[in-house]
Amino acid sequence: MTTTQRLLDLAAGASGSHDADLMLLLHEASELYQQGFEDLRRTVAARFTGVPSRSLVAAVTAAGLPCDASQDRDELLLVLALAEWEMTPAAMAYSQLAEDAARRGVSLIPEE
């Protein structure tokens, strides 16, 4: 099962889950989200291997993302990867799950 498939399954199963079960689903989904993002970040970095930094800045700018020439290569690649990742079904499923859980008072961020 792919990361996307599992995140979609978790999001679908979350509607019938409550409290501790929902927290477990959210925790697994968060780990999958991070894993999926890291995989995509590596893919984006490989795609831009050998590309001059000025061309990378141009790619970020062309994507409509904020950047400046003072950002280092890793930061620019991270911005590009995050923008691409947030548009994937996996990231959207996680966001939906996290928003639904938050509306029901469940979050991975402890309350102060």
Side-chain angles (χ1 to χ4, degrees), residues 44-68:
V44 169
R47 190 182 321 144
F48 284 93
T49 297
V51 173
S53 292
R54 69 181 177 281
S55 297
L56 188 53
V57 168
V60 172
T61 302
L65 303 167
C67 75
D68 61 59

Side-chain angles (χ1 to χ4, degrees), residues 13-76:
S15 64
S17 300
H18 302 284
D19 301 328
D21 289 337
L22 183 55
M23 179 63 88
L24 289 173
L25 288 175
L26 189 57
H27 195 291
E28 181 181 350
S30 176
E31 289 177 4
L32 289 168
Y33 176 95
Q34 293 172 39
Q35 175 188 342
F37 174 68
E38 181 55 28
D39 292 345
L40 182 65
R41 188 198 60 74
R42 283 193 296 266
T43 299
V44 169
R47 190 182 321 144
F48 284 93
T49 297
V51 173
S53 292
R54 69 181 177 281
S55 297
L56 188 53
V57 168
V60 172
T61 302
L65 303 167
C67 75
D68 61 59
S70 70
Q71 289 178 287
D72 68 22
R73 184 174 189 81
D74 289 337
E75 289 175 316
L76 295 169

Side-chain angles (χ1 to χ4, degrees), residues 4-15:
T4 299
Q5 290 169 326
R6 183 63 183 146
L7 277 166
L8 290 170
D9 287 348
L10 290 171
S15 64

